[in-house]
Amino acid sequence: MTGIGGGVELGAQAARSRALAVLRVRSRALAVALLPAAVAVILLAGGSTGHLVGGGWDAARWAVSVLALLVLAATAAVALVVARARPAVTPTVAVAEESAPDLYRMVRDLADRLDVPAPSAIALTPDCDSWLEDRTHPAHGPPPARDHDDLSDPVGPARRRSAAAPVLVIGSPFLWWMRVGELRAVLAPVVAGTGPAAHPDIAAARRFIRGLDAAVAATSTDGRGPLARAARGGIGGVSRLLLRGCRVHAAEMERGVAAAAAERAQAVDYGLRIVAQEQVGLAYAGWDRLLTRVALPAWRMGRWPSRLDVGVVAALTELSRRDRLAEGFASRLGERPACDLLEEPGLMDEAVSLLAARLFHGGPAETGPDWAPVGWEEYPEEVVDRAWRTDAARLHRVLDTLGVRRAAEGAAPGTDGPTLSRVLDHLTTTPAEAPVPARDPAADADPDATPGTAHHATPGTGTATPDDQATSDPQAATASDPSDPQAATTPGPQPLTTPDDQATTAPAAPGSADHSDDGNGTEDDDDDLAGTTPRGAALAAGLSAQLAREEARTQALASGTAPPPPGTTTGPAATGTALWDDRALPLLPLQPPRTGREILTAHITAMVCCAAMDTAGATPGLDWLDGPTLLVDGARRADLAPHVRSLVETGDPAPLRAWLSDLGVRPEKPVRLV
């Protein structure tokens, strides 16, 4: 430890000095609050001794005394709210020591080697990050019982380690994708952060900042009356003022803590840490893609994949098969995975998967008839096929409301069902019909342009399809402790590309992007439907309105269900429902709403896939990197999207009809819907 002592000491000293600066802000605020009381005491003492006498001094004594009482009452109210406000806690799945003895043993050995206090407990989060989280506030419940075999080091100064140590939160994808040695290397700088966290000044500064932050959140809700609103506003204003005064010092304190922890962790598996950080980026990219391309369509169908972490391994393994740059990934699979440190990894994966569905989609906390788990082997039939047929049925319902004929005049009997030909014929543009023009950028730049001469387009009105949408960053909004020392060493999100990404991707499951609004705003309607034909615009508007009504109905039904009682357990461990507010789910929505044209494209794609399955022997499939896909003779067809876009944007069905003819699809045959 002698080689790193200087760096660790410098970082710790910087953190302690900033912590003292934060505490000085608290002391100055207290001094200002006590100043009127001190003046009142002086005036009262002067009057009792006969030195400050007269009418003026008597009036001053009364005025200052009343002011002092008011200030003291306000100070007591602010202090009470700050002390009683419950700091935010990240939703996690608790890992009991009996369910992961090897994981606890690894963390204990790591803390012993780093000579720092060990975390008081371990929890998993459905995200690709790891951090330390303080849960010592009384609102978080009693600390876990400790015995002679706890995580603390039983020798030397570490005897002072207690249950007040922070909780180690580990990203669940790390456990399934990383090897044991890689996980140890990644956790080293995180565990090293328990050392600075145990310093009294740093701990006190953090408690003060967390209390102020919680007080601001507690006073942000409207009161029941004018007095309550005024009191909340005053307390919230004082808390925000103190937070602004502490902001710079708190940020520098956390940087010092992170620097000290990272410097200390260099003594542990330094060479392996470089390789492990590469796996952090890969795990994040695979997790992000799995959520947005695979899990999201299932969640919207009322099913939640119960093995998301296993899916991350499958997705990254598939990447190693497709991308020659990832040839070295497969060789790692022969080493011991970090999930072997858990006694029952399957049950833990299920608990984390359900928590992910709640955070990113807002699903219920418990399984029910309309919210059931689905395994990966059941995904094509239970999710892909069902999603396509549901969207195809919605498409024909909207066509019915528009008065579109079921079959052409003189058509053969039995062809008046839901056919693909009905959709193609309706969207085919005649020479007299022109597509809805997209917005002219030059018109936007000219303030003197005639109103109404240009349609407004949004970023979603290009040639992108639901499969082409960029994946979002679920990690960016995840709540984490600012003391995370890994933040200084963990790379940002890495792009996940495959050779197939250079071409058009496979058809996505309709519903794989967010439902848009009902299109009531005229300008928003123009934005959503720019670049489509008039018939396509009308159909897209009807689909958007139908989706909005269905979503509103679903939300109304969901709002009528009672929330689970505090402390309810899910899976093998508690998910911390008593520690966070689950009334505003999803906390981390994955994607923005779709435009009307994207909704229309997805529904037409669904209808084409249904026709291919019912008349050409195609089957639904699951691609680990791109989600729902159409399989023909067991091979993925990734060339459908441009033909559907041609129909939507220009009203020309020729490219799509040629694709259907090549595949042997009979568009005049009715398809089975749900």
Side-chain angles (χ1 to χ4, degrees):
M1 304 294 292
T2 56
I4 63 171
V8 173
E9 186 62 26
L10 289 177
Q13 287 181 357
R16 292 166 188 167
S17 64
R18 292 293 182 170
L20 291 175
V22 171
L23 296 178
R24 280 196 294 271
V25 172
R26 184 183 65 178
S27 300
R28 290 167 183 165
L30 181 60
V32 171
L34 294 178
L35 182 60
V39 175
V41 169
I42 294 175
L43 292 176
L44 291 174
S48 62
T49 58
H51 291 83
L52 303 177
V53 294
W57 288 110
D58 292 338
R61 270 190 289 273
W62 278 105
V64 174
S65 297
V66 171
L67 176 63
L69 291 176
L70 293 177
V71 171
L72 288 177
T75 302
V78 172
L80 183 62
V81 172
V82 171
R84 297 188 61 180
R86 184 178 65 180
V89 173
T90 308
T92 56
V93 175
V95 181
E97 185 169 0
E98 56 270 16
S99 65
D102 291 342
L103 179 60
Y104 272 74
R105 190 175 301 112
M106 185 191 75
V107 174
R108 180 190 303 121
D109 295 340
L110 190 59
D112 290 343
R113 184 170 177 181
L114 293 170
D115 193 25
V116 295
S120 60
I122 299 176
L124 298 183
T125 178
D127 199 3
C128 291
D129 199 359
S130 296
W131 64 87
L132 296 171
E133 188 163 283
D134 188 354
R135 296 184 178 178
T136 58
H137 193 275
H140 299 158
R146 310 299 292 254
D147 54 27
H148 66 281
D149 193 28
D150 61 8
L151 284 177
S152 61
D153 188 352
V155 292
R159 292 286 297 180
R160 295 191 297 264
R161 301 167 190 169
S162 65
V167 174
L168 173 62
V169 181
I170 304 175
S172 64
F174 293 166
L175 283 173
W176 269 260
W177 174 243
M178 290 185 173
R179 309 298 100 179
V180 173
E182 294 169 348
L183 180 66
R184 176 186 174 93
V186 167
L187 293 181
V190 184
V191 175
T194 60
H199 191 274
D201 293 335
I202 296 177
R206 285 177 168 173
R207 284 195 300 270
F208 178 58
I209 295 171
R210 282 195 299 270
L212 291 176
D213 184 69
V216 171
T219 57
S220 61
T221 58
D222 293 335
R224 296 183 178 180
L227 292 179
R229 284 195 295 269
R232 287 177 178 270
I235 295 174
V238 172
S239 300
R240 292 185 184 92
L241 179 63
L242 293 176
L243 274 178
R244 284 195 294 269
C246 299
R247 181 182 303 164
V248 175
H249 299 304
E252 293 299 326
M253 177 184 69
E254 299 303 341
R255 289 192 183 96
V257 169
E263 188 71 23
R264 181 179 293 274
Q266 289 186 9
V268 178
D269 302 331
Y270 178 75
L272 188 58
R273 283 176 59 199
I274 299 175
V275 178
Q277 291 302 326
E278 298 176 359
Q279 305 307 320
V280 169
L282 287 171
Y284 176 83
W287 179 252
D288 178 66
R289 193 145 180 168
L290 185 77
L291 292 180
T292 55
R293 302 292 182 92
V294 179
L296 200 57
W299 292 338
R300 291 202 175 95
M301 296 305 299
R303 307 297 297 272
W304 54 278
S306 58
R307 295 291 186 271
L308 285 180
D309 291 304
V310 172
V312 171
V313 178
L316 294 178
T317 304
E318 177 67 13
L319 174 65
S320 69
R321 186 186 66 82
R322 295 187 190 181
D323 194 346
R324 61 184 179 180
L325 297 177
E327 292 176 355
F329 297 168
S331 62
R332 301 171 53 258
L333 301 181
E335 304 174 18
R336 186 190 182 194
C339 63
D340 280 357
L341 299 173
L342 303 173
E343 288 292 303
E344 296 182 278
L347 292 179
M348 198 64 66
D349 192 2
E350 183 176 352
V352 174
S353 299
L354 181 56
L355 179 58
R358 300 199 69 202
L359 295 180
F360 300 120
H361 181 67
E366 297 179 352
T367 298
D370 299 325
W371 187 245
V374 59
W376 294 125
E377 66 281 356
E378 305 166 348
Y379 187 95
E381 290 295 331
E382 295 291 333
V383 175
V384 182
D385 182 86
R386 182 183 169 195
W388 284 343
R389 297 189 188 278
T390 299
D391 279 12
R394 184 183 299 110
L395 176 63
H396 281 278
R397 286 198 302 271
V398 174
L399 288 174
D400 290 339
T401 61
L402 295 177
V404 180
R405 287 177 177 270
R406 280 274 179 170
E409 295 183 1
T415 60
D416 58 345
T419 64
L420 178 58
S421 293
R422 182 193 190 196
V423 179
L424 298 179
D425 294 342
H426 175 69
L427 292 178
T428 299
T429 301
T430 63
E433 296 174 324
V436 178
R439 179 177 56 186
D440 183 5
D444 291 339
D446 184 7
D448 298 327
T450 303
T453 58
H455 289 271
H456 300 285
T458 60
T461 57
T463 59
T465 65
D467 268 344
D468 298 326
Q469 292 177 355
T471 55
S472 62
D473 185 358
Q475 184 184 20
T478 302
S480 62
D481 192 286
S483 63
D484 179 9
Q486 190 182 359
T489 57
T490 302
Q494 302 296 323
L496 183 63
T497 58
T498 69
D500 291 337
D501 290 334
Q502 306 302 323
T504 306
T505 55
S512 62
D514 274 341
H515 300 160
S516 67
D517 55 21
D518 57 8
N520 290 329
T522 56
E523 185 171 341
D524 290 341
D525 289 345
D526 291 341
D527 290 346
D528 288 353
L529 304 177
T532 62
T533 64
R535 292 186 178 183
L539 184 55
L543 290 170
S544 299
Q546 180 68 23
L547 277 171
R549 286 191 293 269
E550 294 176 6
E551 183 175 347
R553 190 180 307 114
T554 301
Q555 292 178 350
L557 292 175
S559 62
T561 59
T568 300
T569 58
T570 303
T575 57
T577 54
L579 305 182
W580 54 285
D581 185 4
D582 59 355
R583 293 171 296 178
L585 294 173
L587 299 179
L588 307 170
L590 290 180
Q591 290 181 339
R594 287 182 297 178
T595 64
R597 192 183 66 168
E598 289 170 343
I599 292 175
L600 176 61
T601 301
H603 282 72
I604 296 175
T605 300
M607 187 62 202
V608 172
C609 292
C610 290
M613 291 188 295
D614 290 351
T615 67
T619 57
L622 168 62
D623 185 276
W624 291 111
L625 297 175
D626 294 317
T629 187
L630 184 68
L631 301 179
V632 179
D633 296 329
R636 172 180 174 233
R637 293 302 297 255
D639 55 348
L640 173 59
H643 307 313
V644 174
R645 289 201 303 267
S646 177
L647 175 65
V648 170
E649 296 172 3
T650 67
D652 181 12
L656 181 56
R657 288 188 181 275
W659 186 89
L660 295 171
S661 177
D662 179 67
L663 202 63
V665 179
R666 302 183 61 181
E668 75 279 2
K669 290 290 185 180
V671 300
R672 178 175 58 87
L673 304 178
V674 295

